[in-house]
């Protein structure tokens, strides 16, 4: 029976339960400073996980530990179930794409891409075929004889991607690879990376401080703050059900109304606000309601309406953002589509939101 | 105050054989927030440096508050300048940095101290006066730079991509703060950026530039909804370019047809084209929506990417006959609509801000 | 540390190699310093006994005293004059590109490649042609030519590292060019200027070859006096003087490092 299973093509076997990467209670201290508190993170084969966080949150430390450039103070690192905590970087089978491309300036595009294959002593015929196919895949067919300095920033980053994808490493780490590109090129390259991920089935660990990039690319986002994991979940989880005020604030725009819990709602300076269904509050404790701007409604059909005045309008082309200041001085942001139009400054408005769209969080 | 705060009359600047700025004509009103928007190399920074006096014009005249300053050296122009890299004096503390422009003007010590304190309060840095620039975060350094430029009460405030070195959340906060300060002081401000979102949200008017020329000067809404040409349409916000046909013209408007849909567009860009001519229809992503089954469709395509952005889902479509991709923005996470690889029929929102331009040859 | 035996062995070998090279570089100095404490009147190594007397003789010897005085005077004048000329030229070269600016640069850097005896001989012949006696002025002038390239380079590198937008910012705040120079440019160049001066001073004080040509008995600098001493005597006085020399120079560098940062003095820039 075992032999039969072994003969089966990998694709037909039951999906592997072994994570591609397993971070187990890994932490890092520098003297008295915790660069990374002990944390766990599993990345499934073929998964695209983004490590997101502000600078100083520990994302670079985590990345360096996984890549083998820094030793953890504690914990274990498994790749394909093998303990690789003590393996030197070049034996971990991890490919890294850097923000500054790190291309070899004295080698042509093709030679750059061939480099990892030569290091693995691949026969010339197979090597040439792979290099050509990979360059084609990243849209650089025909440029193989150029030198890096003759390419644009976006093209250079494609070469860096090709050099990494060409030898099919067990895990690909991308360290803010699009940080140096301007917005439009960045968005194009995001789509490109998504496509490469889908076409190759590679397992990718992507590091960024850009929340839109994280939302756009990831299967899951690992949001770091102050050396620990603040939240780990799908982009939709993180955006719609932030686990803390930090997450709500870091990802997208959000409105926060603070108050004290009591029977029937949250007591704020602007009145008693209804809680989202299913919330089980402890009466008397401080709490905050978080509502995304797109869920704030003008003249709500149901629920309580908060009175305020428009104190600022921001035009964003595809939408208008209004800042409404409430009686207590707290302000709420709401989005209006281009066709709904803006409102004049000073206009009195009534605001509300569907109760189920609010999130109850600890302050 | 009949004259403009800043006026450029046909200002040209060359670097060797390259024309960095070609006959720029521009009037900046008193108290206005005007943004020079364009890709890198479009001449926006050259234009700012010409107004500041860091560069000399090869042709044309520059006026500040009605006075001809084309040949006036920088230090006599009464401008406040904020640089991308802050350019704080590293050998002076915050207070001395801010006081620098007052010292050059011979303001007495007591008054200078008071004005420095006011300026630091304005940028919310009270209590930081004794710090050195290197002890401050990027956002704080840029506040010091802003205070240093404002404390001299310049005739015009010039900002050269001041927030591009800051990370995203901080940039948003600084934008709001600058706008508030600018409105409170009513100071004429010229702001250079390549970020169209920044330009739209902060400016009273935007001058869109490319290849050394000013393409359009208008309010954010004008440049977004009524771009003067293809470049402006494509640079200010995302746009879908769809093949279409000119049906006819009537006064200021023209009718074009694309797919099974008709659109009314401004006629001016289509001058000289005969009915039946091929044109390109420009539609913003938020003006497209999935078409109901059986309804008239603008186009039909295959979804090649779904990009989640929290408050919206962006769908990228490949459609026959459409060069490039078609981009749709749907509110929320749009479950069940336009799964990856599925076919999707698309229609336009009612009364869209459509534009049409002659096709590129 | 956890990367297995091979890597650990490699690291150990690297450390040994560095120590060996360091030892090789320092060995001559160590030999001289040890020899200086010899109790015998012949320069010999290893010494057989311990004595301070050669230090006493070195400090009391009149030619050394006058040589030291001359050396300090020449050093101070030459490096200060070179600093003024070098800074001016460096600023001009950095700020403006004028006809012949490259030629000027090449000429001023030429002493780096021209052997010192050529320079010394040249200055001597020139002085003789012009009828200038072998005065302190001649020694100072020769040393200015010798150290100018080092000062020029040091100031030029500091200028290149100076962000031009700081000067633009100062101008935008109403400062005319002179004020920008005094309040922004020069303060920021100060470490470079000080480093250039110190570098020039050390070079000037140690310079021997060219000085041999242009000095007379009354104007001889310390290295020349030492040379003359060695021609006549072979006792460890020289070694003692050399030891003092090393100690003083090391002290100077330590002070420079404390107040200026050695990296900046030597214009090693680790900035982005």
């Amino acid at each position: 029976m075992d032999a039969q299973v072994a003969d089966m093509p990998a694709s037909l076997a039951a999906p592997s339960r072994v994570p591609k990467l397993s971070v187990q209670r890994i932490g890092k201290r520098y003297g008295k400073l915790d660069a990374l508190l002990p944390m766990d993170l599993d990345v499934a084969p073929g998964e695209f996980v983004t490590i997101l966080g502000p600078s100083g949150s520990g994302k670079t430390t985590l990345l360096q530990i996984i890549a083998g450039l820094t030793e953890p103070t504690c914990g274990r690192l498994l790749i394909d179930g093998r303990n690789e905590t003590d393996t030197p970087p070049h034996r971990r089978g991890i490919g890294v794409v850097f923000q500054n491309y790190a291309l070899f300036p004295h080698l042509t595009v093709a030679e750059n891409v061939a480099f990892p294959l030569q290091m693995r002593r691949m026969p010339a015929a197979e090597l040439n075929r792979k290099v050509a196919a990979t360059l084609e895949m990243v849209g650089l067919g025909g440029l193989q004889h150029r030198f890096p300095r003759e390419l644009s920033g976006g093209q250079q980053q494609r070469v860096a991607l090709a050099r990494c994808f060409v030898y099919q490493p067990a895990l690909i780490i991308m360290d803010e690879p699009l940080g140096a590109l301007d917005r439009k090129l960045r968005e194009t390259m995001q789509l490109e990376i998504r496509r490469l991920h889908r076409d190759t089935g590679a397992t990718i660990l992507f590091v960024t401080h850009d929340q839109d990039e994280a939302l756009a690319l990831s299967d899951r986002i690992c949001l770091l703050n102050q050396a620990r994991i603040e939240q780990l979940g799908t982009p939709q989880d993180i955006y719609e059900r932030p686990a803390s005020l930090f997450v709500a604030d870091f990802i997208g725009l959000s409105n926060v109304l603070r108050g004290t819990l009591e029977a029937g709602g949250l007591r704020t300076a602007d009145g008693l606000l209804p809680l989202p269904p299913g919330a089980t509050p402890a009466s008397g404790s401080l709490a905050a309601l978080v509502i995304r701007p797109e869920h704030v409604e003008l003249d709500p059909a149901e629920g309580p309406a908060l009175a305020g005045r428009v104190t600022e309008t921001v035009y964003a082309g595809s939408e208008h953002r209004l800042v409404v200041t409430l009686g207590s001085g707290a302000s709420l942001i709401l989005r209006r589509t281009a066709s709904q139009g803006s409102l004049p400054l000073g206009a009195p408005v009534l605001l509300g939101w569907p109760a189920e769209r609010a999130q109850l969080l600890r302050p | 105050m009949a004259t403009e705060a800043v006026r450029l009359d046909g200002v040209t600047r060359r670097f060797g054989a390259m024309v960095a700025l070609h006959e720029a004509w521009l009037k900046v009103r008193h108290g206005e927030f005007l943004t020079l928007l364009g890709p890198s190399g479009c001449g926006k920074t050259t234009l700012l440096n010409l107004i500041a006096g860091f560069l000399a014009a090869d042709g044309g005249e520059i006026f500040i508050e009605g006075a001809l300053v084309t040949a006036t050296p920088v230090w006599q122009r009464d401008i406040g300048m904020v640089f991308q890299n802050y350019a704080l004096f590293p050998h002076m503390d915050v207070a001395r940095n801010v006081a620098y422009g007052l010292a050059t003007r011979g303001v007495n010590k007591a008054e200078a101290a008071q004005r420095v304190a006011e300026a630091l309060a304005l940028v919310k840095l009270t209590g930081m006066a004794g710090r050195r620039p290197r002890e401050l975060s990027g956002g704080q350094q840029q506040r010091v730079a802003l205070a240093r430029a404002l404390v001299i009460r310049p005739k015009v405030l010039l900002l050269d991509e001041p927030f591009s070195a800051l990370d995203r959340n901080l940039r948003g906060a600084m934008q709001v703060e600058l706008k508030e300060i600018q409105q409170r002081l009513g100071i004429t401000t010229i702001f250079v950026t390549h970020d169209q979102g920044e330009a739209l949200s902060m400016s009273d008017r935007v001058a869109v530039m490319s290849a050394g020329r000013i393409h359009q000067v208008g309010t954010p809404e004008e440049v977004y909804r009524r771009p003067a040409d293809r470049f402006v349409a494509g640079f200010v916000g995302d746009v879908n370019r769809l093949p279409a046909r000119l049906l006819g013209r009537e006064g200021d408007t023209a009718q074009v047809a694309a797919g099974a849909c008709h659109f009314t567009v401004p006629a001016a860009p289509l001058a000289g084209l005969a009915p039946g001519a091929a044109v390109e229809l420009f539609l913003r992503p938020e003006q497209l929506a999935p078409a109901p089954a059986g309804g008239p469709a603008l186009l039909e395509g295959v979804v090649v990417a779904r990009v989640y952005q929290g408050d919206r889902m962006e769908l990228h479509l490949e459609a026959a006959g459409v060069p490039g991709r078609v981009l749709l923005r749907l509110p929320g996470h749009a479950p069940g609509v336009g799964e990856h690889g599925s076919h999707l029929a698309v229609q336009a929102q009612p009364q869209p801000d459509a534009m049409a331009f002659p096709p590129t040859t | 540390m956890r990367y297995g035996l091979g890597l650990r062995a490699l690291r150990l070998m690297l450390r040994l190699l560095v120590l060996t090279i360091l030892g090789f570089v320092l060995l001559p100095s160590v030999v001289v310093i040890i020899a200086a404490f010899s109790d015998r009147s012949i320069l010999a190594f290893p010494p057989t006994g311990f004595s301070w007397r050669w230090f006493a003789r070195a400090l009391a010897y009149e030619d050394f005293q006058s040589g030291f005085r001359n050396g300090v005077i020449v050093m101070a004048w030459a490096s200060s004059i070179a600093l003024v000329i070098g800074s001016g030229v460096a600023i001009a070269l950095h700020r403006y590109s004028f006809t012949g600016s490259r030629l000027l640069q090449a000429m001023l850097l030429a002493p780096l490649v021209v052997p010192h005896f050529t320079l010394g001989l040249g200055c001597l012949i020139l002085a003789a042609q012009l009828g200038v006696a072998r005065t302190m002025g001649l020694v100072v002038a020769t040393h200015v030519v010798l150290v100018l390239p080092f000062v020029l380079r040091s100031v030029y590198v500091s200028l290149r590292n100076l962000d031009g937008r700081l000067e633009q910012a100062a101008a935008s705040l109403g400062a005319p060019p002179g004020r920008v120079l005094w309040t922004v440019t020069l303060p920021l160049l100060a470490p470079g200027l000080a480093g250039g001066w110190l570098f020039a001073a050390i070079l000037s004080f140690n310079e021997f070859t060219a000085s041999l040509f242009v000095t007379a008995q009354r104007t001889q600098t310390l290295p020349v006096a030492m040379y003359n001493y060695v021609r006549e005597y072979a006792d460890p006085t020289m070694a003692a003087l050399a030891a003092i020399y090393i100690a003083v120079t090391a002290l100077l560098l330590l002070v420079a490092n404390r107040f200026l940062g050695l990296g900046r003095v030597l214009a090693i820039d680790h900035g982005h």
Side-chain angles (χ1 to χ4, degrees):
Chain A
M1 187 186 95
D2 283 336
Q4 258 181 325
V5 171
D7 285 340
M8 263 165 60
S11 57
L12 294 180
S16 163
R17 301 257 95 199
V18 180
K20 181 57 80 173
L21 171 75
S22 185
V23 169
Q24 301 183 343
R25 306 310 297 160
I26 276 196
K28 176 75 183 176
R29 289 176 74 92
Y30 291 105
K32 285 188 172 171
L33 183 83
D34 280 305
L36 208 60
L37 293 164
M39 61 174 61
D40 296 307
L41 172 67
D42 280 358
V43 179
E47 199 179 15
F48 194 120
V49 173
T50 296
I51 300 175
L52 174 69
S55 50
S57 59
K59 56 185 196 297
T60 306
T61 307
L62 177 59
L63 182 84
Q64 289 190 331
I65 290 172
I66 294 170
L69 305 172
T70 301
E71 282 178 55
T73 312
C74 60
R76 297 200 307 161
L77 183 84
L78 309 187
I79 296 175
D80 284 326
R82 289 187 313 272
N83 187 349
E84 304 270 24
T85 319
D86 296 334
T87 312
H90 63 280
R91 297 221 195 97
R92 292 193 180 193
I94 293 178
V96 184
V97 179
F98 300 94
Q99 178 177 347
N100 62 357
Y101 320 135
L103 299 179
F104 306 119
H106 60 297
L107 300 182
T108 63
V109 166
E111 287 163 349
N112 263 285
V113 177
F115 185 84
L117 301 181
Q118 285 165 345
M119 291 302 107
R120 286 162 180 74
R121 302 185 198 290
M122 182 178 279
E126 192 188 352
L127 181 146
N128 289 334
R129 195 174 48 71
K130 276 210 155 181
V131 169
T134 311
L135 282 175
E136 204 58 51
M137 184 172 77
V138 298
L140 285 180
L143 295 183
Q144 61 268 36
H145 299 305
R146 299 275 185 92
F147 283 94
R149 63 173 176 276
E150 299 167 339
L151 302 178
S152 70
Q155 287 173 326
Q156 291 188 41
Q157 194 52 282
R158 284 167 199 262
V159 179
L161 288 172
R163 189 177 60 179
C164 190
F165 276 96
V166 73
Y167 69 100
Q168 293 162 323
L171 176 70
I172 294 178
I173 291 180
M174 300 191 183
D175 185 8
E176 306 235 10
L178 309 180
L181 305 178
D182 69 30
R183 192 184 67 95
K184 297 225 161 172
L185 194 52
R186 215 179 153 100
E187 285 172 5
T188 313
M189 290 302 293
Q190 284 173 11
L191 291 174
E192 194 80 353
I193 288 174
R194 278 172 62 107
R195 190 180 57 77
L196 285 170
H197 173 241
R198 207 173 39 243
D199 292 355
T200 59
T203 310
I204 295 178
L205 203 57
F206 189 93
V207 177
T208 184
H209 65 268
D210 182 328
Q211 35 137 334
D212 285 349
E213 197 161 277
L215 290 174
L217 288 170
S218 322
D219 293 326
R220 283 191 303 156
I221 295 173
C222 173
L223 180 54
L224 294 187
N225 182 37
Q226 295 182 340
R228 57 193 183 78
I229 296 180
E230 191 84 25
Q231 189 170 1
L232 176 64
T234 65
Q236 207 177 316
D237 270 342
I238 297 230
Y239 185 83
E240 297 188 352
R241 287 172 293 280
S244 66
L245 282 181
F246 172 82
V247 179
D249 192 50
F250 191 77
I251 309 259
L253 292 170
S254 48
N255 296 301
V256 179
L257 291 167
R258 293 163 197 275
T260 313
L261 287 165
E262 58 181 62
L266 183 73
R267 173 65 62 188
T268 71
D270 292 294
L272 188 66
L273 305 179
L275 300 182
T280 51
S283 220
S285 57
L286 295 174
L289 276 177
V290 173
I291 310 110
R292 294 291 186 187
E294 59 271 24
H295 296 139
V296 178
E297 298 167 352
L298 281 178
D299 302 321
E302 53 182 304
L306 303 180
R309 280 179 188 280
V310 177
T311 49
E312 200 188 320
T313 63
V314 177
Y315 183 61
S318 56
E319 64 179 21
H320 297 269
R321 284 195 284 273
L322 304 185
V323 180
V324 173
T325 303
L326 304 176
S328 68
S331 59
L332 292 181
I333 306 173
L334 67 143
R335 297 176 194 274
R336 303 263 293 165
T337 63
S339 52
Q340 288 173 318
S342 185
L343 289 174
L345 281 177
V349 290
L350 286 176
L351 300 181
W353 55 87
E356 72 274 13
R357 291 301 195 179
Q359 278 282 112
L360 185 66
L361 295 172
R362 275 187 310 204
Chain B
M1 293 268 231
T3 54
E4 299 81 15
V6 176
R7 195 172 99 217
L8 273 71
D9 283 359
V11 175
T12 296
R13 168 72 198 200
R14 292 181 209 92
F15 293 109
M18 205 250 314
V19 180
L21 191 68
H22 181 84
E23 285 191 25
W25 298 79
L26 186 66
K27 290 176 180 176
V28 187
R29 299 169 194 146
H30 283 283
E32 182 176 37
F33 194 117
L34 181 114
T35 296
L36 305 176
L37 172 68
S40 57
C42 72
K44 57 189 191 296
T45 299
T46 302
L47 179 47
L48 196 76
N49 284 335
L50 283 161
I51 297 171
F54 298 134
L55 291 175
D58 292 322
E61 302 292 355
I62 301 166
F63 300 86
I64 295 178
E65 301 279 8
L68 179 69
V69 298
T70 315
T72 308
V74 184
W75 63 93
Q76 288 168 355
R77 287 198 186 188
D78 245 341
I79 49 155
M81 181 91 193
V82 176
F83 298 82
Q84 181 182 347
N85 71 342
Y86 325 131
L88 297 180
F89 306 125
H91 56 301
M92 301 180 192
D93 63 17
V94 166
R96 282 189 58 212
N97 263 285
V98 177
Y100 189 89
L102 298 175
T104 63
R105 283 166 172 75
V107 174
N108 72 55
K109 283 240 163 77
E111 192 194 336
Q114 193 194 336
R115 280 169 68 176
V116 167
E118 282 169 14
L120 288 178
L122 187 69
V123 298
K124 298 176 185 158
L125 281 181
T126 304
M128 298 280 193
R131 300 278 186 92
R132 286 294 174 113
R134 63 170 176 278
E135 299 165 353
L136 303 179
S137 70
Q140 289 173 327
Q141 290 191 46
Q142 199 54 289
R143 284 163 202 263
V144 176
L146 188 59
R148 184 179 67 177
L150 288 172
V151 78
I152 59 174
R153 295 169 191 158
K155 289 176 181 151
V156 53
L157 178 64
L158 307 175
L159 302 107
D160 187 8
E161 308 232 8
F163 305 140
S164 57
L166 305 177
D167 75 28
R168 239 266 273 268
N169 289 350
L170 188 55
R171 201 185 316 159
M174 289 294 292
Q175 286 167 1
V176 172
E177 207 162 311
L178 172 65
K179 185 68 187 169
E180 276 175 16
I181 290 172
Q182 189 266 336
Q183 279 176 338
R184 192 161 358 137
L185 301 180
I187 186 171
T188 309
T189 301
I190 303 178
F191 185 96
V192 163
T193 185
H194 65 268
D195 178 337
Q196 50 98 13
E198 194 165 76
L200 292 181
S201 65
M202 298 181 75
S203 321
D204 295 320
R205 286 193 304 155
V206 180
V208 186
M209 299 181 65
S210 153
R213 285 164 199 273
I214 298 176
H215 283 239
Q216 185 176 7
V217 185
T219 64
E221 209 148 345
E222 281 166 4
V223 297
Y224 187 81
R225 299 181 61 187
R226 290 280 171 254
D229 57 31
R230 317 170 55 94
F231 174 79
V232 176
F235 192 79
V236 183
D238 296 307
V239 78
N240 294 301
R241 294 156 198 222
L242 310 174
R245 202 160 35 80
L246 179 64
L247 296 178
R249 235 186 309 251
E250 195 175 312
D252 291 342
T253 60
Q255 295 288 319
V256 300
C261 302
H262 289 191
F263 297 90
T264 304
V265 299
L270 303 175
L273 291 183
V279 296
E280 246 184 335
L281 178 68
F282 279 52
L283 280 169
R284 301 283 180 199
E286 64 273 14
Q287 294 172 332
L288 299 182
L298 173 60
L299 59 93
E300 224 183 283
V302 178
V303 178
V304 292
R306 274 169 71 87
V307 179
Y308 181 61
Q309 291 284 266
D311 63 310
R312 60 184 188 272
M313 180 68 83
E314 296 186 342
L315 300 184
H316 296 249
L317 271 64
E318 272 173 7
V322 181
R325 284 174 171 175
V326 179
L327 179 64
L328 272 81
R329 285 205 179 104
L330 308 179
H333 58 92
V337 182
E339 291 307 325
H340 187 264
S342 69
H343 281 263
L344 190 71
V346 174
Q347 67 171 22
Q349 305 275 19
Q351 279 126 33
D353 291 321
M355 298 288 299
F357 297 100
T360 44
T361 44
Chain C
M1 278 159 256
R2 288 154 63 173
Y3 288 151
L5 208 61
L7 212 61
R8 228 179 301 171
L10 195 72
R11 280 186 192 177
L12 194 70
M13 276 166 62
L14 253 172
R15 207 166 291 171
L16 276 175
L17 186 69
V18 169
L19 283 176
T20 312
I21 293 172
L22 215 61
F24 186 69
V25 169
L26 291 179
L27 197 63
S29 313
V30 172
V31 169
V32 167
I33 290 171
I34 292 173
F37 290 99
S38 168
D39 60 344
R40 293 174 53 195
S41 57
I42 297 238
L43 247 183
F45 190 85
T48 52
F50 180 83
S51 156
W52 280 101
R53 66 179 162 131
W54 304 115
F55 283 89
R57 177 165 162 79
L59 293 174
Y61 190 65
E62 204 185 318
D63 270 12
F64 287 169
Q65 287 177 350
S66 69
F68 177 77
R69 274 195 306 274
N70 291 339
V72 168
I73 294 167
V74 169
M75 170 188 90
W77 278 103
S79 36
S80 302
I81 294 171
L83 183 69
V84 173
I85 300 175
S87 308
V89 174
I91 289 174
L93 284 174
H94 177 67
R95 196 70 54 81
Y96 315 100
S97 68
F98 46 89
T99 350
S101 66
R102 306 206 57 156
L103 186 69
L104 179 64
Q105 199 171 0
M107 274 169 56
L108 289 170
L109 293 179
L112 281 177
V113 288
V114 176
H116 282 192
F117 75 85
T118 316
L119 273 171
L121 189 61
C123 286
L124 184 63
I125 294 170
L126 203 63
Q129 282 289 322
L130 297 174
V132 177
R134 283 205 261 172
T135 59
M136 286 295 256
L138 178 63
V139 186
V140 170
T142 309
H143 278 219
V144 167
V145 174
L146 284 169
V147 300
L148 192 57
F150 297 95
V151 179
L152 183 66
R153 226 192 99 69
S154 172
V155 179
Y156 191 69
V157 168
S158 308
L159 270 171
R160 292 288 292 265
N161 289 335
L162 181 75
D163 182 0
R165 276 167 295 196
L166 292 175
E167 293 171 324
Q168 288 192 342
S172 78
L173 293 165
R179 196 181 176 105
V180 176
L181 187 70
W182 271 114
T183 56
V184 176
T185 315
L186 284 178
L188 291 175
L189 285 183
L193 298 178
W197 189 90
L198 191 70
F199 212 41
I202 291 171
L203 275 169
S204 161
F205 197 70
N206 285 329
E207 210 291 326
F208 166 67
T209 323
S211 307
L212 186 62
F213 286 89
V214 292
T215 51
Q217 173 63 31
R218 280 192 322 105
T219 61
Q220 69 180 356
T221 56
L222 192 54
V224 178
M226 288 165 77
Y227 170 72
N228 288 334
Y229 186 89
V230 174
R231 289 204 306 182
E232 289 179 39
Y233 309 98
D235 59 34
T237 309
M238 279 305 300
L241 192 62
I244 296 172
Y245 228 109
I246 291 169
V248 170
T249 312
L251 197 72
L252 264 178
L253 283 177
L254 274 177
V255 170
N257 190 33
R258 176 73 184 73
F259 291 104
L260 296 164
L262 198 58
R264 288 203 293 189
V265 171
L266 300 177
I268 306 165
D269 192 17
H270 296 289
H272 61 283

